[in-house]
Coordinates of all heavy atoms in Angstrom, one line a residue:
M16 N 5.3 -99.7 -86.5 CA 6.5 -100.2 -85.8 C 7.7 -100.2 -86.8 O 7.6 -100.7 -87.9 CB 6.1 -101.7 -85.4 CG 7.2 -102.4 -84.7 SD 6.9 -104.1 -84.2 CE 5.4 -103.9 -83.2
N17 N 8.8 -99.7 -86.3 CA 10.0 -99.6 -87.1 C 10.9 -100.8 -86.8 O 11.5 -100.8 -85.7 CB 10.7 -98.2 -86.8 CG 11.9 -98.0 -87.7 OD1 12.6 -98.9 -88.1 ND2 12.1 -96.7 -88.0
F18 N 11.0 -101.7 -87.7 CA 11.8 -102.9 -87.4 C 13.2 -102.6 -87.4 O 14.0 -103.3 -86.7 CB 11.5 -104.0 -88.5 CG 10.1 -104.5 -88.4 CD1 9.1 -104.2 -89.2 CD2 9.8 -105.4 -87.4 CE1 7.8 -104.7 -89.1 CE2 8.5 -106.0 -87.2 CZ 7.5 -105.6 -88.1
N19 N 13.7 -101.6 -88.0 CA 15.1 -101.2 -87.9 C 15.5 -100.8 -86.5 O 16.5 -101.2 -86.0 CB 15.5 -100.1 -88.9 CG 16.9 -99.8 -89.0 OD1 17.7 -100.8 -89.1 ND2 17.3 -98.6 -89.0
N20 N 14.6 -100.0 -85.9 CA 14.8 -99.6 -84.5 C 14.8 -100.8 -83.6 O 15.6 -100.9 -82.6 CB 13.7 -98.6 -84.0 CG 14.0 -97.3 -84.6 OD1 15.0 -97.0 -85.2 ND2 13.0 -96.4 -84.5
I21 N 13.9 -101.8 -83.8 CA 13.8 -103.0 -83.0 C 15.1 -103.8 -83.1 O 15.7 -104.3 -82.1 CB 12.6 -103.9 -83.4 CG1 11.3 -103.1 -83.0 CG2 12.7 -105.2 -82.7 CD1 10.1 -103.8 -83.5
F22 N 15.6 -103.9 -84.3 CA 16.9 -104.6 -84.6 C 18.0 -103.9 -83.9 O 18.9 -104.6 -83.2 CB 17.1 -104.7 -86.1 CG 18.4 -105.4 -86.4 CD1 18.6 -106.8 -86.3 CD2 19.5 -104.7 -86.9 CE1 19.7 -107.4 -86.6 CE2 20.7 -105.3 -87.2 CZ 20.8 -106.7 -87.0
M23 N 18.1 -102.6 -83.9 CA 19.1 -101.8 -83.3 C 19.1 -102.0 -81.7 O 20.1 -102.1 -81.1 CB 19.1 -100.3 -83.7 CG 19.5 -100.1 -85.1 SD 19.2 -98.4 -85.7 CE 20.2 -97.5 -84.6
I24 N 17.9 -102.0 -81.2 CA 17.7 -102.2 -79.7 C 18.2 -103.6 -79.4 O 18.9 -103.7 -78.3 CB 16.2 -101.9 -79.3 CG1 15.9 -100.5 -79.5 CG2 16.0 -102.4 -77.9 CD1 14.4 -100.2 -79.3
K25 N 17.8 -104.6 -80.1 CA 18.3 -105.9 -79.8 C 19.8 -106.0 -79.9 O 20.4 -106.6 -79.0 CB 17.7 -106.9 -80.8 CG 18.1 -108.4 -80.4 CD 17.6 -109.4 -81.3 CE 18.0 -110.8 -81.0 NZ 19.2 -111.0 -80.3
Q26 N 20.4 -105.4 -80.9 CA 21.9 -105.4 -80.9 C 22.5 -104.7 -79.7 O 23.5 -105.2 -79.1 CB 22.4 -104.7 -82.2 CG 22.2 -105.5 -83.5 CD 22.9 -104.8 -84.7 OE1 22.7 -103.6 -84.9 NE2 23.6 -105.6 -85.5
A27 N 22.0 -103.6 -79.3 CA 22.5 -102.9 -78.2 C 22.3 -103.7 -76.9 O 23.2 -103.7 -76.0 CB 21.8 -101.5 -78.0
K28 N 21.1 -104.3 -76.8 CA 20.9 -105.2 -75.6 C 21.9 -106.3 -75.5 O 22.4 -106.6 -74.5 CB 19.5 -105.7 -75.6 CG 19.1 -106.7 -74.5 CD 17.9 -107.5 -74.7 CE 18.2 -108.5 -75.7 NZ 17.9 -109.9 -75.3
D29 N 22.1 -107.0 -76.7 CA 23.0 -108.1 -76.7 C 24.4 -107.7 -76.3 O 25.1 -108.4 -75.6 CB 23.0 -108.8 -78.1 CG 21.7 -109.5 -78.4 OD1 20.9 -109.7 -77.5 OD2 21.5 -109.8 -79.6
K30 N 24.9 -106.5 -76.8 CA 26.2 -106.0 -76.5 C 26.3 -105.7 -75.0 O 27.3 -106.0 -74.3 CB 26.5 -104.8 -77.3 CG 27.9 -104.2 -77.1 CD 28.1 -103.0 -78.0 CE 29.5 -102.5 -77.8 NZ 29.8 -101.3 -78.6
F31 N 25.2 -105.1 -74.5 CA 25.2 -104.7 -73.0 C 25.4 -106.0 -72.2 O 26.2 -106.0 -71.3 CB 23.9 -104.0 -72.7 CG 23.7 -103.6 -71.3 CD1 24.3 -102.4 -70.8 CD2 23.1 -104.4 -70.3 CE1 24.2 -102.0 -69.5 CE2 23.0 -104.1 -69.0 CZ 23.5 -102.9 -68.6
F32 N 24.6 -107.0 -72.5 CA 24.7 -108.3 -71.7 C 26.0 -109.0 -71.9 O 26.5 -109.6 -71.0 CB 23.6 -109.2 -72.0 CG 22.2 -108.7 -71.4 CD1 21.1 -109.0 -72.1 CD2 22.2 -108.1 -70.2 CE1 19.8 -108.6 -71.5 CE2 21.0 -107.7 -69.6 CZ 19.8 -107.9 -70.3
R33 N 26.7 -108.8 -73.1 CA 28.0 -109.4 -73.3 C 29.0 -108.6 -72.4 O 29.9 -109.2 -71.8 CB 28.5 -109.3 -74.7 CG 28.0 -110.4 -75.6 CD 28.7 -110.4 -76.9 NE 28.8 -109.2 -77.7 CZ 27.8 -108.7 -78.5 NH1 26.7 -109.4 -78.7 NH2 28.0 -107.5 -79.1
N34 N 28.9 -107.3 -72.2 CA 29.7 -106.5 -71.4 C 29.5 -106.7 -69.9 O 30.3 -106.4 -69.1 CB 29.6 -105.0 -71.8 CG 30.2 -104.7 -73.1 OD1 31.0 -105.4 -73.7 ND2 29.7 -103.6 -73.7
H35 N 28.2 -107.1 -69.6 CA 27.8 -107.2 -68.2 C 27.0 -108.5 -68.0 O 25.8 -108.4 -67.7 CB 26.9 -106.0 -67.8 CG 27.5 -104.6 -68.2 ND1 28.6 -104.1 -67.4 CD2 27.3 -103.8 -69.2 CE1 28.9 -102.9 -68.0 NE2 28.1 -102.7 -69.1
P36 N 27.7 -109.6 -68.1 CA 27.0 -110.9 -68.0 C 26.2 -111.2 -66.7 O 25.2 -111.9 -66.8 CB 28.1 -111.9 -68.2 CG 29.4 -111.2 -67.9 CD 29.1 -109.8 -68.2
K37 N 26.7 -110.7 -65.6 CA 25.9 -110.9 -64.4 C 24.6 -110.2 -64.4 O 23.6 -110.7 -63.7 CB 26.7 -110.4 -63.2 CG 27.9 -111.2 -62.9 CD 28.7 -110.7 -61.6 CE 29.9 -111.5 -61.3 NZ 30.6 -111.0 -60.1
T38 N 24.4 -109.1 -65.2 CA 23.2 -108.4 -65.3 C 22.1 -109.3 -65.9 O 21.0 -109.4 -65.5 CB 23.3 -107.1 -66.0 OG1 24.3 -106.3 -65.4 CG2 22.0 -106.4 -66.1
E39 N 22.5 -110.0 -67.0 CA 21.5 -110.9 -67.7 C 21.1 -112.0 -66.8 O 19.9 -112.3 -66.7 CB 22.1 -111.5 -69.0 CG 21.1 -112.3 -69.8 CD 21.6 -112.7 -71.1 OE1 22.9 -112.7 -71.4 OE2 20.8 -113.0 -72.0
T40 N 22.0 -112.6 -66.0 CA 21.6 -113.7 -65.1 C 20.7 -113.2 -64.0 O 19.7 -113.8 -63.7 CB 22.9 -114.3 -64.4 OG1 23.7 -114.8 -65.5 CG2 22.6 -115.4 -63.5
F41 N 21.0 -112.0 -63.5 CA 20.2 -111.3 -62.5 C 18.7 -111.1 -63.0 O 17.7 -111.5 -62.4 CB 20.8 -110.0 -62.1 CG 19.9 -109.1 -61.3 CD1 19.7 -109.4 -59.9 CD2 19.2 -108.1 -61.9 CE1 18.8 -108.5 -59.2 CE2 18.3 -107.3 -61.1 CZ 18.2 -107.5 -59.8
M42 N 18.6 -110.6 -64.2 CA 17.3 -110.3 -64.8 C 16.5 -111.6 -65.1 O 15.3 -111.7 -64.9 CB 17.5 -109.4 -66.0 CG 18.0 -108.0 -65.7 SD 18.2 -107.0 -67.1 CE 16.5 -106.4 -67.3
E43 N 17.2 -112.6 -65.5 CA 16.6 -113.9 -65.8 C 16.1 -114.5 -64.5 O 15.0 -115.1 -64.4 CB 17.6 -114.9 -66.4 CG 17.8 -114.6 -67.9 CD 18.9 -115.4 -68.5 OE1 19.6 -116.2 -67.7 OE2 19.2 -115.3 -69.7
D44 N 16.9 -114.4 -63.4 CA 16.4 -114.9 -62.1 C 15.2 -114.2 -61.6 O 14.2 -114.8 -61.1 CB 17.5 -114.7 -61.0 CG 18.7 -115.7 -61.3 OD1 18.6 -116.6 -62.0 OD2 19.8 -115.4 -60.7
V45 N 15.2 -112.8 -61.7 CA 14.0 -112.1 -61.3 C 12.8 -112.4 -62.1 O 11.7 -112.6 -61.6 CB 14.3 -110.5 -61.3 CG1 13.1 -109.7 -61.0 CG2 15.4 -110.2 -60.3
K46 N 13.0 -112.5 -63.4 CA 11.9 -112.9 -64.3 C 11.3 -114.2 -63.9 O 10.1 -114.4 -63.9 CB 12.3 -112.9 -65.8 CG 11.2 -113.1 -66.8 CD 11.7 -113.0 -68.2 CE 10.6 -113.2 -69.2 NZ 11.0 -113.0 -70.6
R47 N 12.2 -115.2 -63.7 CA 11.7 -116.5 -63.3 C 10.9 -116.5 -62.0 O 9.9 -117.2 -61.8 CB 12.9 -117.5 -63.2 CG 12.5 -118.9 -62.9 CD 13.7 -119.9 -62.8 NE 14.5 -119.5 -61.6 CZ 15.7 -119.0 -61.7 NH1 16.3 -118.7 -62.8 NH2 16.4 -118.7 -60.6
E48 N 11.4 -115.8 -61.0 CA 10.7 -115.7 -59.7 C 9.4 -114.9 -59.9 O 8.4 -115.3 -59.2 CB 11.5 -114.9 -58.7 CG 12.6 -115.6 -57.9 CD 12.2 -116.7 -57.1 OE1 11.2 -116.6 -56.3 OE2 12.8 -117.8 -57.2
G49 N 9.4 -113.9 -60.7 CA 8.2 -113.1 -60.9 C 8.1 -112.0 -59.9 O 8.9 -111.8 -59.0
F50 N 7.1 -111.2 -60.0 CA 6.8 -110.1 -59.2 C 5.7 -110.4 -58.2 O 4.8 -111.2 -58.6 CB 6.5 -108.8 -60.0 CG 7.6 -108.4 -60.9 CD1 7.5 -108.6 -62.2 CD2 8.7 -107.7 -60.4 CE1 8.6 -108.2 -63.1 CE2 9.7 -107.3 -61.2 CZ 9.6 -107.5 -62.5
C51 N 5.7 -109.8 -57.0 CA 4.6 -110.0 -56.1 C 4.4 -108.8 -55.3 O 5.4 -108.0 -55.1 CB 4.8 -111.2 -55.2 SG 6.3 -111.1 -54.1
E52 N 3.2 -108.6 -54.8 CA 2.9 -107.5 -53.9 C 3.8 -107.6 -52.7 O 3.9 -108.7 -52.1 CB 1.4 -107.5 -53.6 CG 1.0 -106.3 -52.8 CD -0.5 -106.2 -52.5 OE1 -1.2 -107.1 -53.0 OE2 -0.9 -105.3 -51.8
G53 N 4.4 -106.5 -52.2 CA 5.2 -106.5 -51.0 C 6.7 -106.6 -51.3 O 7.4 -106.3 -50.4
M54 N 7.1 -107.0 -52.5 CA 8.5 -107.1 -52.8 C 9.1 -105.7 -52.9 O 8.3 -104.8 -53.1 CB 8.8 -107.9 -54.0 CG 8.4 -107.2 -55.3 SD 8.7 -108.3 -56.8 CE 10.4 -108.4 -56.9
E55 N 10.4 -105.6 -52.6 CA 11.0 -104.3 -52.7 C 12.0 -104.3 -53.9 O 12.7 -105.2 -54.2 CB 11.8 -104.0 -51.5 CG 12.5 -102.7 -51.5 CD 13.3 -102.4 -50.2 OE1 13.3 -103.2 -49.3 OE2 14.0 -101.3 -50.2
I56 N 11.9 -103.2 -54.7 CA 12.8 -102.9 -55.8 C 13.7 -101.7 -55.4 O 13.1 -100.7 -55.1 CB 12.1 -102.7 -57.1 CG1 11.2 -103.9 -57.5 CG2 13.1 -102.3 -58.2 CD1 10.3 -103.7 -58.7
A57 N 15.0 -101.9 -55.3 CA 15.9 -100.8 -54.9 C 16.9 -100.6 -56.0 O 17.4 -101.5 -56.7 CB 16.6 -101.2 -53.6
V58 N 17.2 -99.3 -56.2 CA 18.2 -98.9 -57.3 C 19.2 -97.9 -56.7 O 18.7 -97.0 -56.0 CB 17.5 -98.3 -58.5 CG1 18.5 -97.9 -59.5 CG2 16.5 -99.3 -59.1
A59 N 20.4 -98.1 -56.9 CA 21.5 -97.1 -56.5 C 22.4 -96.8 -57.7 O 22.7 -97.7 -58.5 CB 22.3 -97.7 -55.4
V60 N 22.7 -95.5 -57.8 CA 23.6 -95.1 -58.9 C 24.7 -94.3 -58.2 O 24.5 -93.4 -57.4 CB 22.9 -94.1 -59.9 CG1 23.9 -93.6 -60.9 CG2 21.8 -94.9 -60.6
R61 N 25.9 -94.7 -58.4 CA 27.1 -94.1 -57.8 C 28.0 -93.6 -58.9 O 28.4 -94.3 -59.8 CB 27.9 -95.1 -56.9 CG 27.1 -95.5 -55.7 CD 27.9 -96.5 -54.9 NE 27.0 -97.3 -54.0 CZ 26.5 -98.5 -54.4 NH1 26.8 -99.0 -55.5 NH2 25.6 -99.1 -53.6
Y62 N 28.4 -92.3 -58.8 CA 29.3 -91.7 -59.7 C 30.7 -91.8 -59.3 O 31.0 -91.9 -58.1 CB 28.9 -90.2 -59.9 CG 27.6 -90.1 -60.7 CD1 26.4 -90.1 -60.0 CD2 27.6 -90.0 -62.1 CE1 25.2 -90.0 -60.7 CE2 26.4 -89.9 -62.8 CZ 25.2 -89.9 -62.1 OH 24.0 -89.7 -62.8
P63 N 31.7 -91.8 -60.2 CA 33.1 -91.9 -59.8 C 33.5 -90.9 -58.7 O 34.3 -91.2 -57.9 CB 33.9 -91.6 -61.1 CG 32.9 -92.1 -62.2 CD 31.6 -91.7 -61.7
G64 N 33.0 -89.7 -58.7 CA 33.3 -88.7 -57.7 C 32.7 -88.9 -56.4 O 33.0 -88.1 -55.4
G65 N 31.9 -89.9 -56.2 CA 31.3 -90.2 -54.9 C 29.8 -89.8 -54.8 O 29.2 -90.2 -53.8
K66 N 29.3 -89.1 -55.7 CA 27.9 -88.7 -55.7 C 27.0 -89.9 -55.9 O 27.4 -90.8 -56.7 CB 27.6 -87.7 -56.7 CG 26.3 -87.0 -56.6 CD 26.1 -85.8 -57.6 CE 25.0 -84.9 -57.2 NZ 24.9 -83.8 -58.1
E67 N 25.9 -90.0 -55.1 CA 25.1 -91.2 -55.1 C 23.6 -90.8 -55.1 O 23.3 -89.9 -54.4 CB 25.5 -92.1 -53.9 CG 24.8 -93.4 -53.9 CD 25.3 -94.3 -52.8 OE1 26.5 -94.6 -52.7 OE2 24.4 -94.6 -51.9
Y68 N 22.8 -91.6 -55.8 CA 21.4 -91.5 -55.8 C 20.8 -92.9 -55.5 O 21.3 -93.8 -56.1 CB 20.8 -91.0 -57.1 CG 21.2 -89.6 -57.5 CD1 22.3 -89.3 -58.3 CD2 20.6 -88.5 -56.9 CE1 22.7 -88.0 -58.6 CE2 20.9 -87.2 -57.3 CZ 22.0 -87.0 -58.1 OH 22.4 -85.7 -58.4
K69 N 19.8 -92.9 -54.6 CA 19.2 -94.2 -54.3 C 17.7 -94.0 -54.2 O 17.2 -92.9 -53.9 CB 19.6 -94.7 -52.9 CG 21.0 -95.0 -52.7 CD 21.2 -95.5 -51.3 CE 22.7 -95.7 -50.9 NZ 22.8 -96.2 -49.5
T70 N 17.0 -95.1 -54.6 CA 15.5 -95.1 -54.4 C 15.1 -96.5 -54.3 O 15.8 -97.4 -54.6 CB 14.8 -94.4 -55.6 OG1 13.4 -94.2 -55.3 CG2 14.9 -95.2 -56.9
G71 N 13.9 -96.6 -53.8 CA 13.3 -98.0 -53.6 C 11.8 -97.9 -53.6 O 11.3 -96.8 -53.2
I72 N 11.2 -98.9 -54.0 CA 9.7 -99.0 -54.0 C 9.3 -100.3 -53.4 O 10.0 -101.3 -53.5 CB 9.0 -98.8 -55.3 CG1 9.4 -99.9 -56.3 CG2 9.4 -97.4 -55.9 CD1 8.5 -100.0 -57.5
R73 N 8.2 -100.3 -52.7 CA 7.6 -101.5 -52.2 C 6.4 -101.7 -53.2 O 5.6 -100.9 -53.3 CB 7.1 -101.4 -50.8 CG 6.3 -102.5 -50.3 CD 7.0 -103.4 -49.2 NE 8.1 -102.9 -48.5 CZ 9.2 -103.5 -48.2 NH1 9.4 -104.7 -48.7 NH2 10.1 -103.0 -47.5
V74 N 6.4 -102.9 -53.9 CA 5.5 -103.1 -55.0 C 4.1 -103.2 -54.4 O 3.9 -104.0 -53.4 CB 5.9 -104.4 -55.7 CG1 4.8 -104.8 -56.8 CG2 7.2 -104.2 -56.4
Q75 N 3.1 -102.5 -55.0 CA 1.7 -102.5 -54.6 C 1.0 -103.3 -55.7 O 1.4 -103.5 -56.8 CB 1.2 -101.1 -54.5 CG 1.9 -100.3 -53.5 CD 1.4 -98.9 -53.5 OE1 0.4 -98.5 -54.1 NE2 2.1 -98.0 -52.8
D76 N -0.2 -103.7 -55.3 CA -1.1 -104.5 -56.2 C -1.3 -103.7 -57.5 O -1.3 -104.2 -58.6 CB -2.4 -104.8 -55.6 CG -3.3 -105.6 -56.5 OD1 -2.9 -106.7 -56.9 OD2 -4.4 -105.2 -56.7
S77 N -1.4 -102.3 -57.4 CA -1.6 -101.5 -58.6 C -0.4 -101.4 -59.5 O -0.5 -100.9 -60.6 CB -2.1 -100.1 -58.1 OG -1.0 -99.5 -57.3
D78 N 0.8 -101.8 -59.0 CA 2.0 -101.8 -59.8 C 2.1 -103.1 -60.7 O 2.9 -103.1 -61.6 CB 3.2 -101.7 -58.9 CG 3.2 -100.5 -58.0 OD1 2.8 -99.5 -58.5 OD2 3.7 -100.6 -56.9
M79 N 1.4 -104.1 -60.3 CA 1.6 -105.5 -60.9 C 1.4 -105.5 -62.4 O 2.1 -106.1 -63.2 CB 0.7 -106.5 -60.2 CG 1.1 -106.7 -58.8 SD 2.7 -107.3 -58.5 CE 2.7 -108.9 -59.4
Q80 N 0.4 -104.8 -62.9 CA 0.1 -104.8 -64.4 C 1.3 -104.3 -65.1 O 1.8 -104.9 -66.1 CB -1.1 -104.0 -64.7 CG -1.4 -104.1 -66.2 CD -2.7 -103.3 -66.6 OE1 -3.2 -102.5 -65.8 NE2 -3.1 -103.4 -67.8
L81 N 1.8 -103.1 -64.7 CA 3.0 -102.5 -65.4 C 4.2 -103.5 -65.3 O 4.9 -103.7 -66.3 CB 3.3 -101.2 -64.9 CG 4.6 -100.5 -65.4 CD1 4.5 -100.3 -66.9 CD2 4.9 -99.2 -64.7
L82 N 4.5 -104.0 -64.1 CA 5.7 -104.8 -64.0 C 5.6 -106.1 -64.8 O 6.6 -106.5 -65.4 CB 5.9 -105.2 -62.5 CG 6.3 -104.0 -61.6 CD1 6.2 -104.4 -60.1 CD2 7.6 -103.5 -62.0
N83 N 4.4 -106.7 -64.9 CA 4.2 -107.9 -65.7 C 4.4 -107.6 -67.2 O 4.9 -108.4 -68.0 CB 3.0 -108.6 -65.4 CG 3.1 -109.4 -64.1 OD1 4.1 -110.1 -63.8 ND2 2.1 -109.2 -63.2
M84 N 3.9 -106.4 -67.6 CA 4.1 -106.0 -69.0 C 5.6 -105.8 -69.3 O 6.0 -106.3 -70.4 CB 3.3 -104.7 -69.3 CG 1.8 -104.9 -69.3 SD 0.9 -103.3 -69.4 CE 1.4 -102.6 -70.9
L85 N 6.3 -105.2 -68.4 CA 7.7 -105.0 -68.7 C 8.5 -106.4 -68.7 O 9.4 -106.6 -69.5 CB 8.3 -104.1 -67.6 CG 7.9 -102.7 -67.6 CD1 8.4 -101.9 -66.4 CD2 8.4 -102.0 -68.9
K86 N 8.1 -107.3 -67.8 CA 8.7 -108.6 -67.7 C 8.5 -109.4 -69.0 O 9.4 -110.1 -69.5 CB 8.0 -109.4 -66.6 CG 8.6 -110.8 -66.4 CD 7.9 -111.6 -65.3 CE 6.6 -112.0 -65.9 NZ 5.9 -113.0 -65.1
D87 N 7.3 -109.2 -69.7 CA 7.0 -109.9 -70.9 C 7.6 -109.3 -72.1 O 7.5 -109.9 -73.2 CB 5.5 -110.1 -71.0 CG 4.9 -110.9 -69.9 OD1 5.7 -111.8 -69.4 OD2 3.7 -110.8 -69.7
M88 N 8.3 -108.2 -72.0 CA 8.9 -107.5 -73.2 C 10.2 -108.3 -73.6 O 10.9 -108.9 -72.9 CB 9.3 -106.1 -72.9 CG 8.1 -105.2 -72.7 SD 8.5 -103.5 -72.3 CE 9.1 -102.9 -73.9

């Protein structure tokens, strides 16, 4: 484990949340609620020129282990 990389990631995360404070609140809310089978996770990316990508998943029981591992990071 490279502690320098961990420190750099923490610094970048802290800067990101300072620049985008609503994101941190959003993630804290989702973490507090937790994940459950049947919930939907949707993501949209919109570029300045108007191009857009969207995706969504309906969480299955088999997804729960990975989601909980990510939540605990």
Side-chain angles (χ1 to χ4, degrees):
M16 180 181 301
N17 185 329
F18 289 105
N19 190 44
N20 285 348
I21 293 170
F22 180 72
M23 290 173 58
I24 290 169
K25 183 180 180 336
Q26 283 185 317
K28 179 196 75 125
D29 292 345
K30 183 177 181 179
F31 180 86
F32 285 146
R33 277 194 309 274
N34 291 338
H35 310 284
K37 290 181 180 181
T38 302
E39 185 171 21
T40 302
F41 168 79
M42 293 179 82
E43 288 171 354
D44 290 344
V45 171
K46 185 176 180 178
R47 186 182 61 253
E48 278 298 313
F50 296 103
C51 64
E52 185 175 358
M54 72 183 291
E55 183 180 355
I56 299 173
V58 178
V60 176
R61 291 179 204 94
Y62 289 88
K66 194 172 196 176
E67 184 175 302
Y68 295 96
K69 294 182 191 179
T70 191
I72 64 164
R73 177 108 20 223
V74 175
Q75 301 175 11
D76 184 55
S77 60
D78 302 322
M79 294 301 296
Q80 181 181 9
L81 173 61
L82 291 172
N83 284 315
M84 288 170 60
L85 293 171
K86 179 183 80 167
D87 293 338
M88 289 180 75

